[in-house]
Amino acid sequence: MREVNQLVRYLTAACFVVICYLSGMRSGEVFQLRRGCLREDENGGFVLVGRRSKGADHVPAPDADETAERPWAVVSAVVPAVEMLESLSDAELLFPPSRQRTTVRSRRKQAKPTGTMNDDVREFIDWVNERFSGPDGPAIPPDPAKAVHASRFRRTLAYFVVRRPGGLAAAQAQYGHVKAKVTLGYAGDADTSWMEDLAIEELEMLSEQVDEDLRALDEGEHISGPSAQEYRRRVRKASAAFAGRVVNQADNARRLSASKHPDIHHGLGMTCVWRLETAGCREEREAAGLDVTEPDEQLCRATCTNLAYTDRDIKNKRLELASWEAAAADRLSPRPLRDRAAAKAAPIRAVIAVHEQDRRGSGQEEPMEEQADGAQAT
């Protein structure tokens, strides 16, 4: 029984990490979540309905009648965590002081103390490392900054919203949903401190992207496509603008991002050098009555003049091409599916061919790893 209780504590800690990590809620707000807090909004997205906290986790929870509810938009990964917590006990709070007995805190409708959860999270990390670490090191390496604790998880949502996982359309849609909800002030209640986190993360991502793009250009990365020349110009201009800048205030981050953003958006196998006037994805969104301020990769058109292709994009294109060619050559697949795969492969093959032809015309050498791939293929 003791081992079961210990495993329940670890499971609770894992669920706490998931909810904090992917909701943007303060730890005190997470602790006050109640059974039935998970709901679906009008667009099919998910929200957690709770009560705003100023972070004073040790203060007794207010009565439901005294504090207005507010929703937090979340991604689907939060759903099983909440459902798991609701299944662990009949307690009203998702994080009761104890699941085994009634305590003074539970009688006062108080949640588990922050310090106790911090201990549980650290013990959970130790438990995972003890059982799942390999020759390459611990499964969860130590944080080089400082000890892991509840209040550090909140900003991670801003990190993922800004850096939506590349190539995962479902994840991009979910994080985009979260950003829209919070940015526009879901239910008329904007979370200003989270917006500050978002501004800092956007600037950090922008700086990292510009550094990576400039380094690639300096190392001879080839760029093709109708916006290749504009891509090079914007990268070098943005690099000069960001060099030596130190920003530690959200307002300054917003101003710098707004004034110096190169409007280069890297997708999966393509790069958009954004210009509203020539955007291929513009018409469909304007016809739907939507504001058009940035590209929509799902509506990208191969004929769009905003497109550019880096060597990194072409590497992804080669992988995509190999997948479609294998599907087209699968004799066990129905003919319509093979024909569709062949049709998908053709424009990708054309993009790669133009990229390599343009490279030869510029006198650049083919990247070594692509030469090696070609040698293996022959």
Side-chain angles (χ1 to χ4, degrees):
M1 190 64 182
R2 181 179 178 184
E3 183 180 4
V4 171
N5 291 339
Q6 185 180 53
L7 291 176
V8 168
R9 281 200 302 116
Y10 296 160
L11 180 58
T12 301
C15 292
F16 174 81
V17 170
V18 170
I19 295 173
C20 277
Y21 200 77
L22 295 174
S23 71
M25 300 174 74
R26 296 177 178 87
S27 56
E29 292 162 340
V30 173
F31 284 132
Q32 298 304 326
L33 287 173
R34 285 164 165 75
R35 181 177 298 276
C37 62
L38 180 66
R39 302 174 193 176
E40 195 169 335
D41 68 14
E42 68 279 4
N43 299 315
F46 294 99
V47 295
L48 289 179
V49 177
R51 293 172 177 79
R52 182 184 292 281
S53 162
K54 295 300 183 182
D57 304 336
H58 60 281
V59 176
D63 291 335
D65 296 335
E66 295 179 4
T67 307
E69 291 184 332
R70 65 146 292 181
W72 283 265
V74 296
V75 296
S76 60
V78 174
V79 175
V82 173
E83 292 175 343
M84 178 60 70
L85 291 169
E86 290 180 335
S87 71
L88 291 176
S89 73
D90 296 327
E92 179 185 0
L93 291 167
L94 295 190
F95 298 95
S98 173
R99 298 189 187 276
Q100 289 76 45
R101 65 185 189 279
T102 301
T103 66
V104 173
R105 289 185 68 89
S106 61
R107 284 196 294 270
R108 294 178 179 176
K109 295 184 179 181
Q110 289 179 296
K112 181 188 288 284
T114 304
T116 302
M117 181 58 76
N118 288 337
D119 292 339
D120 289 350
V121 169
R122 284 191 286 268
E123 288 182 26
F124 171 65
I125 293 172
D126 292 340
W127 180 84
V128 170
N129 285 336
E130 182 181 330
R131 283 158 179 77
F132 301 104
S133 296
D136 296 331
I140 303 177
D143 192 313
K146 54 184 175 180
V148 174
H149 54 81
S151 61
R152 292 190 62 199
F153 291 114
R154 187 167 185 259
R155 188 173 168 185
T156 54
L157 176 65
Y159 179 94
F160 278 99
V161 166
V162 169
R163 298 166 172 81
R164 302 178 198 177
L168 300 178
Q172 290 201 9
Q174 288 182 48
Y175 287 116
H177 161 78
V178 172
K179 180 178 181 180
K181 291 291 188 183
V182 181
T183 302
L184 297 176
Y186 187 62
D189 189 12
D191 191 334
T192 55
S193 60
W194 191 87
M195 293 287 289
E196 291 176 355
D197 290 343
L198 192 67
I200 296 295
E201 286 292 348
E202 286 180 333
L203 183 61
E204 288 183 0
M205 186 211 67
L206 187 58
S207 177
E208 291 168 7
Q209 176 186 304
V210 169
D211 285 346
E212 182 178 354
D213 290 344
L214 180 64
R215 182 170 61 252
L217 284 178
D218 289 343
E219 291 175 355
E221 180 175 55
H222 181 63
I223 314 296
S224 64
S227 285
Q229 184 174 349
E230 179 66 9
Y231 172 92
R232 297 187 191 95
R233 186 191 71 80
R234 290 191 190 184
V235 168
R236 298 200 180 279
K237 181 179 179 181
S239 175
F242 283 108
R245 295 287 187 115
V246 177
V247 177
N248 54 14
Q249 296 292 330
D251 288 343
N252 294 337
R254 292 190 191 96
R255 283 194 291 270
L256 185 58
S257 295
S259 62
K260 305 300 181 183
H261 199 303
D263 253 343
I264 292 174
H265 304 267
H266 291 284
L268 186 63
M270 50 76 71
T271 296
C272 177
V273 185
W274 173 253
R275 289 185 296 272
L276 175 64
E277 297 75 15
T278 55
C281 59
R282 170 187 173 186
E283 290 186 7
E284 186 170 338
R285 286 187 287 168
E286 286 184 335
L290 302 175
D291 290 334
V292 183
T293 58
E294 62 182 6
D296 186 334
E297 188 175 347
Q298 306 307 311
L299 299 177
C300 184
R301 303 286 184 266
T303 56
C304 181
T305 57
N306 288 358
L307 285 174
Y309 298 98
T310 67
D311 283 340
R312 289 164 288 169
D313 294 328
I314 295 302
K315 182 178 180 180
N316 285 323
K317 286 290 187 187
R318 291 182 190 279
L319 295 174
E320 186 181 1
L321 176 61
S323 176
W324 285 121
E325 287 181 336
D330 184 2
R331 295 294 181 183
L332 298 179
S333 180
R335 182 59 181 266
L337 293 182
R338 283 186 282 145
D339 290 345
R340 176 178 178 273
K344 289 284 189 179
I348 300 173
R349 193 180 297 112
V351 168
I352 296 172
V354 169
H355 186 82
E356 297 308 331
Q357 182 180 1
D358 190 58
R359 183 201 307 280
R360 288 191 291 272
S362 67
Q364 282 185 305
E365 294 184 1
E366 190 175 358
M368 291 301 296
E369 67 178 74
E370 291 183 11
Q371 290 179 13
D373 291 342
Q376 291 175 357
T378 57

